[in-house]
Structures are given as structure tokens and as C-alpha cells.
Amino acid sequence: MARLPRRFLVHEITIEPYLGDSSKGPRYGPPTTVACFLDEQTRGVRSPGGEQVTSTSTAYCLPGTTAAPFSRVTLPSGRITKVIQTKNRDGRGLGTPNHVEIQLE
């Protein structure tokens, strides 16, 4: 299984998993620091609900990384954003690097 090489994981983000809403606003779980390659490029993406939204950053992480939609993410710059969606990229033996793509607001 070809994985994203660790030498590409030059950034770290902090993910606080979205747990749902409460009467006081969104609830988040404990933060987890994740190694990744962060691409701060603006592009249009589709949300899980099918709406066209703008993503300002994409984090490429090792397989098994989890980040549910609406989870809170702190970037290396200190900017706080939210997960639009997460995509598992599995080349199924084609030699492409398997990874998780996290699209961020």
C-alpha cells in the first residue's frame, strides 16, 4: 500500500471533532494534533449537502485520519476554520499515495 510519504507532512493542524449543537452553540471533543501537508489555496468544492462552497485550505493527512464535517481546525498560522468534508483517497494498488483529504472553510 503506497501511503503519503511522511517527509511531505511538514505542517501540523489541531482538530476538535464536532459533537453536535447544544443550547449554548456547537460542542467539540478534545483536540488532536495531526501531521499533514497544508495547501492554502482557495477553490470551489461541494459540501456533503451538495451546495457549492468555497474552501480556503486543504490538508492532506495519513490514512485513518478522521475529521467530521463542522469539526473545528486550527491551522499553523493560528487561524481557526471548520471542516467542509473529508475524502479518503485510496489508489487501490495503483501506486498513487493513499491519503485523507480534508477540505476546510
Side-chain angles (χ1 to χ4, degrees):
M1 168 172 86
R3 292 172 25 144
L4 189 64
R6 287 196 181 271
R7 70 179 181 274
F8 292 169
L9 308 177
V10 296
H11 305 105
E12 286 187 341
I13 58 173
T14 302
I15 301 172
E16 296 171 80
Y18 177 71
L19 301 177
D21 288 325
S22 71
S23 60
K24 296 179 182 179
R27 292 183 24 231
Y28 300 98
T32 303
T33 301
V34 175
C36 69
F37 176 79
L38 184 65
D39 180 12
E40 295 191 73
Q41 173 183 338
T42 303
R43 63 185 173 136
V45 298
R46 294 248 181 237
S47 72
E51 301 89 13
Q52 182 75 18
V53 295
T54 301
S55 170
T56 60
S57 303
T58 303
Y60 299 93
C61 309
L62 291 176
T65 302
T66 58
F70 307 112
S71 293
R72 187 164 50 193
V73 176
T74 303
L75 303 180
S77 66
R79 183 170 71 90
I80 297 173
T81 185
K82 291 195 169 58
V83 173
I84 297 170
Q85 68 178 334
T86 302
K87 295 183 174 196
N88 289 310
R89 302 297 194 181
D90 184 350
R92 302 265 184 213
L94 293 175
T96 58
N98 297 336
H99 62 281
V100 173
E101 179 180 318
I102 304 173
Q103 297 170 344
L104 303 165
E105 286 183 350

